[in-house]
Amino acid sequence: MATKPVPPRPAPRLYLATPEVAEPAGLAAALPELLAAADVAAVLVRLVETDQRTMITRIKALAPAIQNAGAALLVDGHPNIVARGGADGAHLTGLAAMEDAMPSLKPDRIVGVGGLATRHDSMAAGEAGADYVLFGEPDARGQRPSSEAIAERLQWWDELFEPPCVGFATSRGEAEEFAAAGADFVLVGDFIWADPRGAKVALIEIGEAIARAHASTFGKAKAQGEAEG
C-alpha cells in the first residue's frame, strides 16, 4: 500500500511590529500598501503610553487598514482595551501577565506571550492556553539571547509542542535563521521601519528570504525522508 504523502510544511509568515504609535494617521495611510506587498499574518500595534481613551482611539484608527488586509491586529500589552478598540488580541510579556489577561480575552481573542526566560515558563504558557509563544525579544534592559540560542529554543518548541512559535528577528540574517529553525512566524519591527530603502522594500525582501530559508531547510529534509522511506 502506498504511503500517504506528508503535506509540505508551510513557510513562516511575517508578524509586523509597528513603531510606537502616537499619531496613527500616517501609519494608517501606509499600511494597506505595505500589507499587500508581503505575507503578513498579524500586526503588533505598539502604543505610546497615555490615557486609555486616547489609546483606544489610536487602535480604532489603525484597525481598518490592518484587518481589511486580512491580518490580525494585536495590541502590545493593555489587554483591558483590546475589545473596546476592536483589536483581535493582545501580546503579553511574562506568564503572570498572560494568566491575568486570559479571563478578559478568551475565548474570543488571541493571547500571545513572550518574556519566557525558561523552558518551564514556555511549557506553562502553552499549557495555560497561549495562542503562540515568542522567543528572542529584548528584556527590560535591552538584553536578549544570542541568535543561536533563540534558534535552538524555536527548534525545541517546534519539535515537541503544538501552539505556534514566533522568532523575534532584528535582521535579515536572524529572520532566515529562525525560519530554518522551525518558527511558524517571524516577528520583524524596528529594522524594517529604519531601512533607508523604505519599509515596503525591506518587508518584501525579508518575506522572500524566510521563504528561501524554509524551502532550503525543509525541502531537503522532506527529500531525505522520502529517499530513506
Side-chain angles (χ1 to χ4, degrees):
M1 182 181 292
T3 303
K4 185 177 179 181
V6 177
R9 178 193 177 96
R13 302 187 69 193
L14 289 165
Y15 185 4
L16 177 65
T18 70
E20 288 198 342
V21 178
E23 298 297 333
L27 182 60
L31 279 170
E33 182 180 2
L34 191 60
L35 298 180
D39 183 25
V40 179
V43 177
L44 180 63
V45 174
R46 301 188 292 192
L47 298 167
V48 172
E49 290 281 346
T50 183
D51 62 279
Q52 284 195 4
R53 180 177 295 180
T54 300
M55 289 194 289
I56 290 168
T57 299
R58 291 171 184 168
I59 296 169
K60 288 181 175 179
L62 294 171
I66 296 169
Q67 293 167 337
N68 290 346
L73 189 167
L74 278 78
V75 180
D76 191 9
H78 308 291
N80 52 324
I81 63 173
V82 165
R84 286 182 284 167
D88 298 292
H91 174 80
L92 290 311
T93 300
L95 190 58
M98 187 202 80
E99 290 174 340
D100 288 346
M102 278 286 192
S104 65
L105 296 171
K106 287 291 192 177
D108 298 322
R109 288 178 165 81
I110 299 166
V111 179
V113 61
L116 303 167
T118 67
R119 293 189 178 197
H120 178 269
D121 285 351
S122 306
M123 290 187 288
E127 290 168 358
D131 291 298
Y132 69 79
V133 292
L134 172 68
F135 300 125
E137 77 278 26
D139 63 18
R141 297 169 296 171
Q143 303 297 311
R144 63 195 292 261
S146 68
S147 64
E148 293 83 4
I150 298 166
E152 187 275 333
R153 185 66 59 89
L154 289 164
Q155 185 174 21
W156 163 75
W157 183 271
D158 175 60
E159 290 174 352
L160 296 176
F161 302 101
E162 189 65 29
C165 57
V166 184
F168 184 106
T170 62
S171 67
R172 188 178 74 174
E174 286 191 355
E176 292 173 338
E177 185 176 4
F178 300 160
D184 297 287
F185 301 91
V186 177
L187 190 149
V188 294
D190 293 344
F191 79 100
I192 296 292
W193 303 104
D195 194 301
R197 302 168 300 170
K200 180 180 175 180
V201 172
L203 200 62
I204 292 171
E205 184 179 84
I206 290 294
E208 292 172 345
I210 65 176
R212 285 194 304 270
H214 168 270
S216 176
T217 301
F218 292 99
K220 289 177 182 176
K222 182 173 183 291
Q224 182 178 354
E226 290 172 349
E228 292 174 351

